[in-house]
């Protein structure tokens, strides 16, 4: 125990998947020690089993699966084979749901890319949202907060590598709170100013999140 800072909290929020969230300053926004960042662990068949063992040991109150940046969500995102991608993500969600019955699972949508890929990403996110409804998994849309009017990513919120920069990460933190998908025990202890939520040029406010069902 670090006596200067006091005991660190038991991790209550797990984050797995790809590196879209960038270099996160978790302890700035959450209680220190609250977040267990396991991004980068393979989510393919070989990597999912040992990852699940770690998560069962920690038993977080909530678990966010981040998908879709340049590293392909650790082997499960492939825009060229959408059917295969959906099957892979369904397998991951079902496996985690069975192993962690007391954990609130949240799937993060595929993020915006460029205007050319926007229709395909929108269609895949519709399918992922429907899958989450069927599996009783939370779904976290990104487009209302990160997409420009043509469906491309707002360049002000990402670095040259496609990962969230500081403003992008603050937008993500606020989005988590607005979505109300996390249990009270894992809400951010600090929130950014509301202006960080991106509003497309010419729009009066953030576009409403799509509804499904």
């Amino acid at each position: 125990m670090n006596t200067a800072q006091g005991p660190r909290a038991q991790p209550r929020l797990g984050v797995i998947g790809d590196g879209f969230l960038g270099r996160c300053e978790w302890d700035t926004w959450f209680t220190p020690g609250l977040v267990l960042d396991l991004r980068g662990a393979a989510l393919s068949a070989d990597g999912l089993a040992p990852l699940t063992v770690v998560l069962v040991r920690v038993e977080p109150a909530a678990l966010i699966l981040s998908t879709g940046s340049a590293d392909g969500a650790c082997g499960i995102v492939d825009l060229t084979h959408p059917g295969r991608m959906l099957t892979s993500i369904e397998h991951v969600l079902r496996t985690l749901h069975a192993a962690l019955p007391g954990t609130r699972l949240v799937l993060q949508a595929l993020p915006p890319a460029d205007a050319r890929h926007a229709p395909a990403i929108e269609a895949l996110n519709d399918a992922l949202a429907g899958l989450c409804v069927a599996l009783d998994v939370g779904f976290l849309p990104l487009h209302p907060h990160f997409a420009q009017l043509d469906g491309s990513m707002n360049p002000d919120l990402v670095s040259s590598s496609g990962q969230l920069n500081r403003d992008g990460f603050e937008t993500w933190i606020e989005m988590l709170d607005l979505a109300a998908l996390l249990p009270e025990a894992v809400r951010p202890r600090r929130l950014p100013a509301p202006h960080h939520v991106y509003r497309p040029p010419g729009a009066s406010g953030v576009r409403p999140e799509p509804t499904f069902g």
Side-chain angles (χ1 to χ4, degrees):
M1 180 179 74
N2 187 331
T3 55
Q5 298 180 353
R8 292 175 68 86
Q10 170 72 15
R12 303 302 296 147
L13 172 62
V15 183
I16 61 175
D18 68 9
F20 170 71
L21 299 180
R23 296 181 180 180
C24 310
E25 298 178 1
W26 295 117
D27 288 358
T28 297
W29 303 102
F30 293 88
T31 301
L34 184 79
V35 180
L36 179 64
D37 189 345
L38 294 174
R39 291 173 302 149
L43 298 179
S44 56
D46 293 338
L48 184 58
L51 175 63
T52 302
V53 170
V54 173
L55 291 169
V56 168
R57 189 178 302 134
V58 176
E59 197 175 5
L63 180 64
I64 297 175
L65 170 55
S66 171
T67 66
S69 72
D71 58 2
C74 307
I76 62 171
V77 169
D78 182 358
L79 294 181
T80 62
H81 295 89
R84 185 187 305 167
M85 187 198 77
L86 290 170
T87 298
S88 297
I89 292 179
E90 180 177 1
H91 173 68
V92 171
L93 293 176
R94 287 188 181 278
T95 299
L96 294 173
H97 218 312
L100 300 161
T103 296
R104 178 58 168 150
L105 295 181
V106 178
L107 175 67
Q108 183 167 284
L110 298 171
D114 52 34
R116 182 168 64 91
H117 290 95
I121 291 175
E122 182 178 358
L124 283 167
N125 278 333
D126 285 352
L128 288 173
L131 175 64
C132 287
V133 170
L135 298 181
D136 191 25
V137 171
F139 183 71
L140 190 62
L142 294 179
H143 279 62
H145 305 277
F146 290 95
Q148 301 187 103
L149 293 179
D150 63 359
S152 63
M153 172 64 78
N154 175 12
D156 292 337
L157 300 180
V158 292
S159 65
S160 58
S161 66
Q163 297 178 338
L164 294 186
N165 58 22
R166 185 185 183 97
D167 283 345
F169 188 63
E170 290 187 5
T171 299
W172 184 80
I173 289 290
E174 186 177 12
M175 181 185 65
L176 278 186
D177 190 62
L178 291 173
L181 287 172
L182 300 183
E184 186 66 27
V186 296
R187 287 184 69 243
R189 67 186 174 95
R190 174 183 167 190
L191 292 172
H195 71 271
H196 282 290
V197 173
Y198 177 61
R199 288 167 172 78
S204 58
V206 176
R207 284 179 292 179
E209 295 181 1
T211 57
F212 306 93

